[in-house]
Structure formats: structure tokens, C-alpha cells
Amino acid sequence: MLNIILLGPPGSGKGTQAELLVKKYNFFPISLGALLRKQITENTPHKALVQEYIDNGQLVPDSLSFQLVVNQLVQNQSQGKPLLFDGFPRTMDQAAFLDGLLIKHNTKISSVILLDVSHETLLQRLKDRATIQGRSDDQDDQKITTRMHIYAEQTLPIANYYQAQHKLYRVDGAQNPEQVVKAIEKIIDRWIKK
Ligand code: AMP
């Protein structure tokens, strides 16, 4: 089963690529950042907690993130679509949890796409996104620094974990979105033909 993880720092284009790939491959998208922001806009009981963590650029506690991911997999059970993760996992604990969860669903991760983008380009993109989307976590230099730090310390080690399993593919995320999606499609199509 084709199940993909999009890995990359804040501003690397995971969300944009997820949208493009869902259209082409009929993926069931699991975007944890979007699911968390929905807790705020839909005024769920988790709103205050989520707001506090997102506003500080910190990772939301696993107890909630895991619950949201489990719910998504249950929702997809009747559809059985291939999965596209964007923004999850972000730590080794989350990667281990996801492996166990997928085993319970008789499936596993097939490929992990790492979007490579230079620090300067990321900062520029986040600044632009702050103006266009008005995300509070993009508007403050300190919050951006925190998120970049978390990425380097906690998320990047996951790349080694998947590399050791021969599942990691690096894509130049500094290209325009259409070029990036083409590069990802090549990887996916090669995997499908295997
Ligand atoms: P994103 O939309 O992926 O940039 O995520 C926005 C924010 O949501 C992050 O800065 C975190 O506060 C929270 N978040 C997203 N993904 C995760 C995750 N895997 N674990 C914990 N918190 C997350």
C-alpha cells in the first residue's frame, strides 16, 4: 500500500505539495497542523490547549496528536485510501507510534519525502505566508526560531530512521511547486511500478 510521509521544516511546502498530491493520487490526507488548527476554528474542547502550543511554536502534547491521528485512520477504514502524512510524525516517539498504529491497520509507510530548502528561503517564505494567511505562528521571529530549533533537534533525526529502512527520498523544495510535485510524482510512480 502506498503510504507517504512529507517531511520538511516549516515553510518547506509540505501543505502545498499535499494538496497537489491528493488531487493526483486520491490520497487520504492527514495534516496534523491543519487538524490542530481546526480544533481552534471549530471551538472544540481542545481549543485552549492547542492555541497555547501553536502560538508558542511548540509541539502539541502527544496524547492529543495521537488521538487525532487514530481518529483519521478510523475514518479512512471504510475507504481504504492510501495515506499522505504532512506534519506527522515530527519526533522519534511519533514515528514509533505511527509504525505500531499502521501495523494494527495491516499497512506501513512506503516512502518518506524530505523537502530540502535553505534556511534563508524558509525565512522568506514564512514571512510571505504570514502576510497571505495571517498565521500567528508565522508572524513572530521568536516563534519561528523555536519551530526551526524543534525541527533540527527532534524532527530531522526521523530522516535517519527512515533512511536506514531505505524509505527516504530527498527533493529540492526550493523549486517552484509544480517542479517539486513532478519530482515527487517520479518517486511515487517508480514505487507503484515496483
Ligand atoms: P504546521 O501546520 O505543520 O506548520 O504545524 C503548525 C503547528 O501545529 C506546529 O508548530 C505545532 O505547534 C503543531 N503541530 C503540527 N504537527 C505537530 C506534531 N506532529 N506534533 C505536535 N504538534 C504539531
Side-chain angles (χ1 to χ4, degrees):
M1 170 67 95
L2 175 70
N3 296 315
I4 302 280
I5 296 173
L6 289 178
L7 205 60
S12 57
K14 299 186 295 295
T16 305
Q17 291 306 314
E19 275 177 31
L20 295 170
L21 291 167
V22 164
K23 280 188 205 143
K24 164 124 188 187
Y25 297 97
N26 197 28
F27 279 116
F28 185 85
I30 302 184
S31 164
L32 197 64
L35 286 169
L36 289 167
R37 282 189 290 280
K38 226 170 146 192
Q39 307 300 308
I40 301 173
T41 53
E42 294 185 353
N43 258 316
T44 73
H46 307 299
K47 176 179 175 164
L49 175 102
V50 171
Q51 186 119 49
E52 186 191 329
Y53 281 90
I54 288 190
D55 277 356
N56 289 316
Q58 303 278 358
L59 296 183
V60 168
D62 282 348
S63 51
L64 175 59
S65 300
F66 289 2
Q67 190 189 321
L68 294 175
V69 172
V70 168
N71 290 348
Q72 290 297 298
L73 284 193
V74 170
Q75 268 191 39
N76 185 43
Q77 242 167 1
S78 57
Q79 307 176 59
K81 289 183 178 184
L83 304 167
L84 179 67
F85 292 91
D86 142 29
F88 190 91
R90 268 181 150 104
T91 65
M92 270 310 301
D93 280 354
Q94 293 182 358
F97 170 80
L98 183 59
D99 278 350
L101 183 64
L102 292 180
I103 287 172
K104 279 193 205 151
H105 286 261
N106 291 316
T107 191
K108 60 184 177 182
I109 292 300
S110 43
S111 311
V112 178
I113 315 281
L114 176 61
L115 298 174
D116 261 333
V117 183
S118 75
H119 191 68
E120 292 68 34
T121 306
L122 292 174
L123 292 183
Q124 189 54 51
R125 282 190 185 171
L126 290 175
K127 250 190 206 161
D128 295 344
R129 191 166 77 180
T131 320
I132 298 164
Q133 296 182 6
R135 272 177 57 169
S136 61
D137 56 346
D138 288 339
Q139 287 170 352
D140 179 304
D141 286 349
Q142 185 56 48
K143 289 173 194 171
I144 290 176
T145 305
T146 304
R147 286 156 68 207
M148 293 296 184
H149 189 73
I150 290 175
Y151 177 76
E153 296 281 310
Q154 301 192 48
T155 309
L156 254 190
I158 302 181
N160 300 332
Y161 173 68
Y162 291 114
Q163 180 137 41
Q165 300 173 39
H166 309 289
K167 290 181 178 174
L168 187 77
Y169 297 86
R170 286 172 193 272
V171 167
D172 176 6
Q175 309 172 88
N176 68 44
E178 289 72 28
Q179 290 171 313
V180 176
V181 82
K182 269 200 190 124
I184 298 177
E185 285 172 9
K186 263 192 196 166
I187 295 164
I188 294 180
D189 292 344
R190 233 182 291 142
W191 188 90
I192 291 173
K193 281 194 199 124
K194 258 206 247 171

